[in-house]
């Protein structure tokens, strides 16, 4: 029996709205369960466009996106986004405490069947190397690294299948960056058989740490280095 990839992009294309210039593709890509993929490339090469199309935050202008072997239809987009989580470089936090931010997703219709688990959140906080009072901190008082930790915990508590990490540590100090890497690794290790990640990074050393499969983006196209080896 052939197992379908978690995500598969077939001839996906993205153009600029104003100029119709090609930003991405057309390209093919697949992500299987148990894979950790790192994507590197220069600024403007299309990395963020690629990630946002995979997250279904931006529409594609051609091709199709499959999830578990089935095309993602309009009615399934909400469910897809629940399972395929996008983490950006500068996350938006609501006014209030860190705990308020962690509770926020459960107020949304997409998560009406789930409940906030404070003990689980506290374990994630501890795994990130933060003190117990981190949950009580005001979002407005957080450093950049602390804000990214809070945003990542907000996502991880929802147990997504796939993480799309768009340079989440680009503006952080090395210690904060390693805390983010450790959180993602712990999430992956908890269920390797069913989870996968794509991590966009500008740091080749980090790409080595966070990805066992490495891709390079150039002018909207991807080169898979495992496929170019002889």
């Amino acid at each position: 029996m052939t197992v379908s990839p978690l995500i598969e992009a077939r001839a996906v294309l993205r153009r600029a709205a104003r100029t119709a210039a090609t930003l991405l593709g057309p390209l093919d890509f697949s992500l299987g369960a148990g894979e950790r993929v790192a994507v590197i490339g220069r600024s403007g090469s299309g990395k963020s466009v690629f990630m946002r199309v995979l997250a279904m935050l931006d529409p594609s202008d051609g091709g199709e996106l499959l999830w578990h072997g089935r095309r993602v239809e309009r009615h399934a987009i909400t469910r897809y986004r629940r399972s395929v989580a996008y983490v950006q470089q500068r996350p938006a936090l609501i006014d209030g405490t860190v705990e308020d931010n962690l509770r926020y997703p459960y107020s949304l219709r997409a998560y009406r069947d789930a409940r906030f688990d404070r003990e689980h959140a506290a374990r994630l906080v501890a795994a990130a190397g933060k003190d117990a009072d981190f949950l009580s901190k005001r979002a407005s008082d957080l450093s950049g690294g602390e804000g990214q930790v809070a945003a990542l915990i907000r996502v991880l508590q929802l147990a997504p299948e796939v993480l799309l990490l768009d340079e989440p540590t680009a503006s952080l100090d090395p210690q904060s960056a390693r805390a983010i890497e450790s959180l993602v690794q712990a999430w992956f290790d908890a269920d390797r058989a069913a989870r996968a990640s794509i991590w966009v990074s500008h740091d080749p050393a980090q790409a080595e740490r966070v990805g066992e499969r490495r891709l390079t983006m150039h002018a909207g196209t991807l080169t898979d280095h495992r496929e170019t080896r002889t």
Side-chain angles (χ1 to χ4, degrees):
M1 179 179 176
T2 302
V3 178
S4 299
L6 294 179
I7 299 175
E8 184 177 4
R10 295 179 177 174
V12 167
L13 176 70
R14 175 71 173 155
R15 294 191 177 97
R18 286 187 176 182
T19 66
T22 299
L23 302 176
L24 184 71
L27 62 77
D28 298 325
F29 170 79
S30 66
L31 179 71
E35 284 196 294
R36 295 189 307 138
V37 176
V39 180
I40 61 173
R42 294 182 177 179
S43 296
S45 62
K47 302 186 301 298
S48 291
V49 176
F50 172 60
M51 296 289 269
R52 289 184 63 83
V53 167
L54 288 187
M56 300 199 80
L57 295 175
D58 291 341
S60 61
D61 296 299
E64 61 180 358
L65 192 63
L66 284 73
W67 178 37
H68 290 280
R70 295 186 178 184
R71 183 167 182 162
V72 183
E73 304 293 349
R74 182 178 296 274
H75 67 83
I77 290 177
T78 298
R79 184 67 184 177
Y80 176 84
R81 289 176 179 162
R82 179 169 172 168
S83 296
V84 180
Y86 177 75
V87 181
Q88 59 188 341
Q89 184 180 147
R90 295 180 179 85
L93 298 176
I94 64 170
D95 291 337
T97 65
V98 170
E99 183 169 338
D100 291 334
N101 275 271
L102 301 189
R103 288 181 177 273
Y104 174 71
Y106 299 94
S107 67
L108 304 177
R109 184 176 180 181
Y111 297 99
R112 62 179 180 269
D113 62 328
R115 289 186 177 182
F116 175 66
D117 184 339
R118 196 177 192 280
E119 291 186 3
H120 179 49
R123 289 194 295 271
L124 290 171
V125 166
K130 301 300 179 184
D131 295 333
D133 64 355
F134 184 69
L135 288 171
S136 301
K137 280 193 171 184
R138 303 288 301 180
S140 56
D141 294 334
L142 300 179
S143 67
E146 289 174 330
Q148 190 63 283
V149 166
L152 183 57
I153 291 174
R154 185 172 59 187
V155 168
L156 295 183
Q157 68 178 348
L158 302 171
E161 283 185 330
V162 176
L163 281 183
L164 304 177
L165 300 134
D166 193 357
E167 298 199 62
T169 65
S171 60
L172 305 185
D173 62 84
Q175 182 177 358
S176 297
R178 287 304 183 101
I180 297 296
E181 290 178 23
S182 295
L183 268 178
V184 172
Q185 185 65 52
W187 161 84
F188 180 71
D189 289 341
D191 195 357
R192 283 175 172 254
R195 293 176 175 174
S197 65
I198 306 175
W199 191 310
V200 169
S201 178
H202 66 282
D203 180 356
Q206 182 181 62
E208 289 280 345
R209 293 193 300 269
V210 303
E212 293 154 347
R213 174 184 170 196
R214 284 174 288 282
L215 311 177
T216 297
M217 179 73 75
H218 175 72
T221 63
L222 282 173
T223 298
D224 191 331
H225 297 287
R226 71 179 182 182
E227 294 175 358
T228 59
R229 292 173 185 166
T230 58

